[in-house]
Amino acid sequence: LLFICCHPDLPAVQQVAVALRIVCGLSVAQIARAFLVGESAMEQRITRAKARIGQAKVAFETPGPAERAERLAAVAAVVYLIFNEGYSSTGEEADRKAPFAEEAIRLARLLLRLFPAEPEIMGLTALMLLQHARAPARFAPCGELILLADQDRTLWNRALIAEGLALLDKALRHAAPGPYQVQAAIAALHDRAPRAQDTDWREIDALYATLERMTPSPVVTLNRAVAVSKVAGPQAALDMIEPLAKPLGGYFYFYGAKGGFLMQLGRGREAYEAFDRAIALAGTAAEAAHIRLHLDRLAKDAEAGAR
């Protein structure tokens, strides 16, 4: 069904949106969040895609091997967005949405059976396994989000990590690097580090630089800025994300990262403003609660400084 929906007569974004809506059952709001656009804009895209299908009398029939290969990139994108819908859930949503991540991994394994020599599908599957392995440590019993640096790594699923690393090594032997393999390599560096302080941030920065060249995106640059903050300090990271204010103006993680960099620089008032904007954009109670901790800390620091 995913291969059928990812029809080449539709623009790439519409292929993915239609597949997520019709086959996967995601809501328009969920799809819009995945593409960082408003709900009305995404609703219009899906409506246009349906109209185009009807007007062109597109034959939605089971594609053959050659057509499947042509549509593989779009199907892989759908699978990864399904995974992210589950993986990015927090707090009260985590248990309910966990099957999304597990289903995405199942679908990726099916793709591997169809394309056993495709390194990017190996990379995609490895990426999801390496990220999903951390799921048991991502939330406190109360539902509070636990950042990667603070997670109890003994809770990580070592079997999934071993499977992911083996797949990544197999993919890299093909010497045909792609975005999923690069992202999997980043995830592998995190998973291989015994402690947060052992993380090879320089290598992660270099991998994100490679990813920026392959698939330029404000979100990729924002993620790279976190690595840059570890390597070159928070001011360098802040300088890197300043041009992203417009394209990521409605993105929770942009303001969360900006607030964190400003707080490290001791610029409390500006950090408070960034976190205040982040909390307004929080998609879940757990995200809002995490930002509230920073706001409370900054408020206490300001009160202590005024005495």
Side-chain angles (χ1 to χ4, degrees):
L1 286 172
L2 290 176
F3 278 106
I4 289 170
C5 279
C6 292
H7 198 286
D9 283 358
L10 295 175
V13 171
Q14 290 183 9
Q15 291 176 30
V16 174
V18 167
L20 288 170
R21 185 76 186 99
I22 296 176
V23 181
C24 308
L26 268 65
S27 69
V28 173
Q30 289 170 318
I31 300 169
R33 187 165 61 245
F35 283 94
L36 302 181
V37 299
E39 285 186 49
S40 60
M42 183 51 66
E43 182 73 66
Q44 289 172 7
R45 289 183 186 180
I46 294 173
T47 300
R48 285 196 297 268
K50 290 179 179 179
R52 186 167 182 163
I53 290 167
Q55 292 165 5
K57 294 184 171 57
V58 172
F60 274 68
E61 55 194 11
T62 305
E67 292 167 314
R68 283 203 300 267
E70 181 186 9
R71 303 178 190 189
L72 181 58
V75 171
V78 172
V79 170
Y80 191 41
L81 287 172
I82 296 169
F83 175 82
N84 282 333
E85 184 58 31
Y87 188 76
S88 63
S89 60
T90 57
E92 68 282 359
E93 289 186 318
D95 289 339
R96 181 169 59 84
K97 289 191 176 181
F100 279 96
E102 293 161 3
E103 176 66 2
I105 291 172
R106 186 186 74 85
L107 290 171
R109 286 176 169 146
L110 288 177
L111 285 178
L112 272 178
R113 286 165 55 186
L114 286 171
F115 299 91
E118 176 50 59
E120 269 294 80
I121 300 304
M122 297 176 201
L124 170 64
T125 310
L127 170 60
M128 294 190 293
L129 290 168
L130 292 168
Q131 290 182 323
H132 194 52
R134 306 178 204 137
R138 294 183 65 227
F139 300 102
C142 62
E144 181 183 336
L145 180 66
I146 302 175
L147 297 181
L148 181 60
D150 301 320
Q151 290 175 11
D152 180 355
R153 299 182 178 218
T154 63
L155 297 177
W156 288 0
N157 188 319
R158 294 294 158 183
L160 291 184
I161 291 173
E163 184 183 355
L165 292 176
L167 264 177
L168 176 59
D169 289 343
K170 184 178 179 181
L172 294 178
R173 285 199 293 272
H174 285 261
Y180 291 123
Q181 294 171 72
V182 174
Q183 291 176 79
I186 292 169
L189 285 170
H190 286 297
D191 287 9
R192 281 185 167 122
R195 302 171 301 165
Q197 56 265 42
D198 298 325
T199 305
D200 189 345
W201 286 108
R202 289 189 182 279
E203 184 61 23
I204 290 175
D205 178 26
L207 286 168
Y208 270 122
T210 300
L211 193 60
E212 278 185 311
R213 291 191 294 272
M214 288 180 169
T215 55
S217 154
V219 173
V220 172
T221 300
L222 179 64
N223 288 332
R224 185 186 175 192
V226 176
V228 168
S229 73
K230 304 290 186 181
V231 174
Q235 185 59 57
L238 192 62
D239 293 341
M240 177 177 283
I241 69 168
E242 281 304 322
L244 307 180
K246 186 173 181 179
L248 297 182
Y251 192 46
F252 166 79
Y253 293 103
F254 171 76
Y255 290 100
K258 182 177 181 179
F261 299 149
L262 288 166
M263 191 163 64
Q264 291 175 53
L265 291 166
R267 293 158 63 176
R269 172 181 269 180
E270 294 169 87
Y272 193 97
E273 291 174 357
F275 285 136
D276 195 48
R277 178 63 178 146
I279 207 169
L281 294 168
T284 66
E287 289 176 348
H290 178 71
I291 296 297
R292 176 57 62 190
L293 292 174
H294 292 312
L295 289 170
D296 290 346
R297 175 183 165 187
L298 288 167
K300 288 179 182 177
D301 290 346
E303 183 181 344
R307 289 174 184 168

